[in-house]
Amino acid sequence: MHALDLSRLNILLLDDSRSIRVVLKTLLRGLGVSRIYESRDSEEALVTARLSRPDLVLVDHDLGSASGLDAVRRFRDPAHSPDTGLPIIFLAPPCLPHLGRAAEGAGADAVLPKPVNAATLGQRIDQLMRPGLRCADPAVSRSA
């Protein structure tokens, strides 16, 4: 399905909903990813990122009492983040396009519609993990 071997990636999920994390883990495992780390809030995610050294982070737009936008900003802030260049995929409902624009402004590398499907997620991970494709057209991330 994907030219890149996704089984070699460490992926961090940031979502306050356990059931959504289970769904995302199922999608990722179906794509071949086996090393998946989970966090409920941005503080926990930053600690987990320091320990697990993820290759990519999936961030939900709504983290309960906090915003996914704030989490993206913290991952881009050298004062908080262990890796300010870590690829970030932001998940947001397509009915709220302003969130996607704000996420890109905050430093997200891609914005995907929520709920996301495996094909779209796998394609975007593949694009972000390939050298030279990190700056792909952001419209691609919202079009699927």
Side-chain angles (χ1 to χ4, degrees):
M1 175 183 231
H2 304 284
L4 183 68
D5 181 7
L6 301 183
S7 69
R8 301 180 63 125
L9 298 180
N10 292 330
I11 295 185
L12 174 59
L13 303 178
L14 174 52
D15 196 308
D16 67 318
S17 169
R18 184 182 182 283
S19 60
I20 298 298
R21 291 193 314 267
V22 168
V23 169
L24 289 170
K25 278 175 43 176
T26 301
L27 290 175
L28 289 167
R29 285 190 178 127
L31 294 169
V33 179
S34 59
R35 292 181 302 227
I36 304 166
Y37 302 91
E38 301 176 50
S39 295
R40 296 170 303 216
D41 60 51
S42 60
E43 200 61 42
E44 183 180 53
L46 289 165
V47 170
T48 302
R50 281 185 189 89
L51 298 173
S52 66
R53 307 296 240 173
D55 299 297
L56 181 129
V57 181
L58 294 174
V59 177
D60 185 48
H61 76 284
D62 181 7
L63 300 175
S65 62
S67 163
L69 294 172
D70 291 333
V72 172
R73 288 183 195 103
R74 293 190 76 194
F75 268 102
R76 294 297 181 235
D77 182 351
H80 297 284
S81 181
D83 180 359
T84 59
L86 186 63
I88 298 173
I89 296 177
F90 190 80
L91 303 174
C95 62
L96 300 172
H98 67 281
L99 282 177
R101 291 188 298 275
E104 289 170 349
D109 296 285
V111 178
L112 292 180
K114 188 176 176 184
V116 67
N117 65 54
T120 301
L121 181 59
Q123 177 186 33
R124 200 57 175 138
I125 290 171
D126 187 69
Q127 290 172 340
L128 287 172
M129 296 288 79
R130 288 177 180 278
L133 290 179
R134 291 264 328 261
C135 297
D137 181 2
V140 172
S141 65
R142 290 187 297 272
S143 63

